[in-house]
Amino acid sequence: MSTTTLPPITPLTKKDFQTDQEVRWCPGCGDYAILSAVQSVFPELGIKRENFVVVSGIGCSSRFPYYMNTFGFHTIHGRAPAVATGIKALRPDLEVWLATGDGDALSIGGNHTIHMLRRNVGIKVLLFNNRIYGLTKGQYSPTSELNKKSKSTPFGSLDRPFNPLSLAIGAEATFVARSVDVFQGHLKETLKHAAAHKGSAFVEILQNCNIFNDGAWFSLTEREARSEHVIQLEHGKPLVFGKNRDKGIRMSGLDMEIVQLGNGVTEKDLLVHDAHHLQAAYAFQLSQMEKRPGFPTPIGVLRSWEDVPRYEDVMNQQINEVIAKRGAGDLTKLLRAGDTWEVK
């Protein structure tokens, strides 16, 4: 009896996900770092390259599919979530990733983003947030800070900005996280957590636009200030931050407060991060933390909740149940059903 030995599977590398296209972002743009991180993480996911699909809308970030050696769609402004939902619904076996910007996803595409998240479609969303419209040369965006002076708001923006994480949590997204373009190690780990999530995974990536909004996140990325202004969330670990890791966050009634460790205050008194908390209110509080004076900006996984079925699974289950009861159906019969007219 003879046996056939299959050739060993060659592991994928970062180079396998790079294309021959010239990467046409401005020198120094944070998009390069995000692209590098994604191309590094994809080979580690154990998924065939032909099973990846990268979808984008319009904006600097939306050039992403051209630079990923996978299947991809460059769609129209704000409609990437709708196209990605269609792909995932009909081909749940595919790994669908969506690259979008703060303007694309939260302005013209805001409604699509909200409904994609509430449906829990199994799509991984990378929202590049540079707080500006970069592709169209520097207008304020839905995440630009209040009183932002830009080409479209020369006297300062009057709009209160969206908080992308709060918006996603409010839409009951089952996975919400944040990272930063230049925090490469953290960004890669965050992407891996998102990839492992079964439902909608929403990752806000703070990134710099060195041409039209340089230094948008300088208070977080500047090396000396980083430890004081950023708190890294790790499931099961207390919320500690500070250059000497001597500050923490604890609950006081229904609110959070900053405490100094020492003088009887220890890490046992602090809030322990629970990314799997049933109630979204906890993650929402975390997302709002940075608005308060003295509080750091949280990065990492704010919420990861698996107890919600994916939209594509329940949709296909419903279709199969109907087919089992009523048959496969006849499109011609359906089109001719009810009132029909013959035009002569």
Side-chain angles (χ1 to χ4, degrees):
M1 180 177 179
S2 62
T3 59
T4 302
T5 303
L6 296 176
I9 298 174
T10 303
L12 295 172
T13 66
K14 179 180 180 180
K15 189 174 182 180
D16 291 315
F17 288 93
Q18 296 172 334
T19 71
D20 60 357
Q21 299 297 299
E22 178 187 1
V23 182
R24 302 187 64 184
W25 287 316
C26 301
C29 175
D31 290 2
Y32 286 96
I34 302 172
L35 176 65
S36 177
V38 173
Q39 290 174 335
S40 297
V41 167
F42 273 21
E44 300 179 18
L45 300 182
I47 298 170
K48 294 180 179 179
R49 186 161 56 90
E50 58 268 28
N51 284 354
F52 283 98
V53 183
V54 179
V55 183
S56 68
I58 295 296
C60 296
S61 62
S62 294
R63 292 173 176 159
F64 217 77
Y66 295 101
Y67 310 141
M68 293 296 300
N69 194 14
T70 64
F71 289 109
F73 284 86
H74 188 178
T75 70
I76 57 178
H77 204 185
R79 273 52 179 184
V83 173
T85 296
I87 296 169
K88 191 64 177 177
L90 293 177
R91 289 291 305 275
D93 58 305
L94 297 179
E95 183 75 3
V96 182
W97 289 65
L98 194 160
T100 185
D102 45 297
D104 186 54
L106 302 179
S107 183
I108 191 170
N111 207 38
H112 289 293
T113 298
I114 290 170
H115 292 295
M116 172 192 62
L117 295 176
R118 78 174 177 89
R119 289 176 175 134
N120 199 37
V121 187
I123 297 167
K124 320 308 177 192
V125 183
L126 306 181
L127 187 142
F128 299 37
N129 185 4
N130 56 19
R131 306 172 102 180
I132 203 75
Y133 277 104
L135 184 68
T136 49
K137 309 300 184 284
Q139 299 87 351
Y140 84 112
S141 84
T143 59
S144 294
E145 61 272 27
L146 193 65
N147 297 319
K148 175 71 176 180
K149 291 185 178 181
S150 71
K151 291 183 177 180
S152 55
T153 53
F155 303 105
S157 168
L158 302 178
D159 294 358
R160 287 191 302 155
F162 267 138
N163 180 318
L165 299 185
S166 297
L167 184 74
I169 294 166
E172 299 196 40
T174 54
F175 182 98
V176 180
R178 173 192 278 151
S179 192
V180 186
D181 56 357
V182 294
F183 297 178
Q184 277 289 290
H186 184 270
L187 177 56
K188 291 174 185 177
E189 285 303 309
T190 304
L191 294 176
K192 291 176 186 177
H193 285 304
H197 187 72
K198 293 181 180 179
S200 295
F202 182 91
V203 181
E204 178 192 23
I205 306 174
L206 309 182
Q207 54 107 191
N208 196 40
C209 174
N210 57 316
I211 303 299
F212 296 109
N213 200 27
D214 195 22
W217 306 107
F218 185 73
S219 63
L220 307 182
T221 58
E222 198 275 320
R223 187 172 297 276
E224 293 301 317
R226 187 181 303 179
S227 58
E228 294 292 327
H229 295 164
V230 175
I231 185 167
Q232 186 167 328
L233 305 174
E234 296 181 76
H235 178 70
K237 294 187 178 181
L239 300 186
V240 180
F241 70 103
K243 185 176 182 180
N244 300 314
R245 293 187 62 78
D246 57 353
K247 299 177 185 177
I249 296 173
R250 70 180 179 188
M251 294 300 296
S252 176
L254 297 177
D255 206 359
M256 294 179 179
E257 66 176 1
I258 295 177
V259 293
Q260 190 77 29
L261 295 177
N263 296 322
V265 180
T266 70
E267 290 190 4
K268 293 182 180 180
D269 299 307
L270 303 181
L271 184 61
V272 175
H273 180 50
D274 183 4
H276 310 310
H277 199 290
L278 177 64
Q279 299 298 329
Y282 165 67
F284 191 86
Q285 274 194 296
L286 291 175
S287 73
Q288 293 284 304
M289 194 164 61
E290 67 215 53
K291 291 185 176 181
R292 304 175 58 183
F295 274 75
T297 295
I299 63 172
V301 179
L302 281 75
R303 192 178 195 219
S304 179
W305 190 35
E306 294 283 4
D307 296 334
V308 179
R310 297 189 307 178
Y311 179 78
E312 59 270 27
D313 294 335
V314 293
M315 187 198 81
N316 284 292
Q317 180 183 351
Q318 184 184 69
I319 291 173
N320 292 333
E321 289 174 353
V322 172
I323 290 175
K325 291 180 180 179
R326 306 180 64 175
D330 185 330
L331 180 59
T332 302
K333 184 178 179 180
L334 175 65
L335 294 174
R336 295 180 178 277
D339 297 328
T340 60
W341 294 268
E342 182 177 348
V343 180
K344 296 183 178 179

